[in-house]
Amino acid sequence: MELNYKAAEKVLNAAKEKALSMNIPGSIAVVDAGGHLVALARLDSVYGVIDFAVKKAKTAAMFGVNSDVMGSIISEAGFHGYGMLNSNEGLLTIAGGVVLKDAEGKTIGAIGSSGGTPEQDKEIAEAGAHAIA
């Protein structure tokens, strides 16, 4: 399965519902396996969190692990982590980027959420990811 717009929209809608139920005015981005934006929602959030949501999603898609997991990996990489963080127009390694997988476990993209606390962002993104799990 590839991440097409219909699937991305399903992921986005589930995450939007979760964010609205939590009263989090965030931004949510869905990217394909290459980190390219497929769908975006800005729920009356401030401008800056759009970039954060996209970068969290890109980080998860590029490395195949959730963005907070990648943060742990990079923090242990010392000086070498600098190159990873600044690759591909910059990555963001805090919670809120969640990998999207197909039924066979293959990474097909990722979702990123920003606007709440890292824990809230992760919860929102996970709600989206579960929509196609």
Side-chain angles (χ1 to χ4, degrees):
M1 171 185 173
E2 289 187 27
L3 184 68
N4 58 29
Y5 179 76
K6 185 175 181 177
E9 186 177 42
K10 187 175 181 180
V11 169
L12 184 67
N13 286 335
K16 281 177 13 185
E17 285 180 29
K18 184 66 174 178
L20 292 170
S21 75
M22 296 170 67
N23 200 29
I24 304 294
S27 289
I28 303 161
V30 180
V31 301
D32 64 16
H36 306 286
L37 187 63
V38 179
L40 174 76
R42 180 179 174 199
L43 305 176
D44 297 326
S45 63
V46 296
Y47 173 74
V49 298
I50 294 171
D51 190 43
F52 291 174
V54 172
K55 285 183 177 184
K56 288 178 185 183
K58 284 177 70 171
T59 300
M62 289 177 58
F63 293 100
V65 296
N66 292 352
S67 59
D68 56 337
V69 172
M70 194 61 204
S72 296
I73 293 168
I74 287 177
S75 69
E76 294 174 13
F79 177 75
H80 301 291
Y82 178 82
M84 288 187 278
L85 281 174
N86 291 292
S87 67
N88 296 283
E89 300 173 5
L91 303 176
L92 197 55
T93 58
I94 57 176
V98 174
V99 176
L100 301 175
K101 296 188 178 199
D102 66 11
E104 289 80 42
K106 177 185 168 199
T107 298
I108 59 170
I111 179 172
S113 175
S114 187
T117 65
E119 295 78 17
Q120 290 168 327
D121 290 344
K122 184 173 184 174
E123 189 175 345
I124 292 165
E126 286 176 338
H130 291 307
I132 61 168

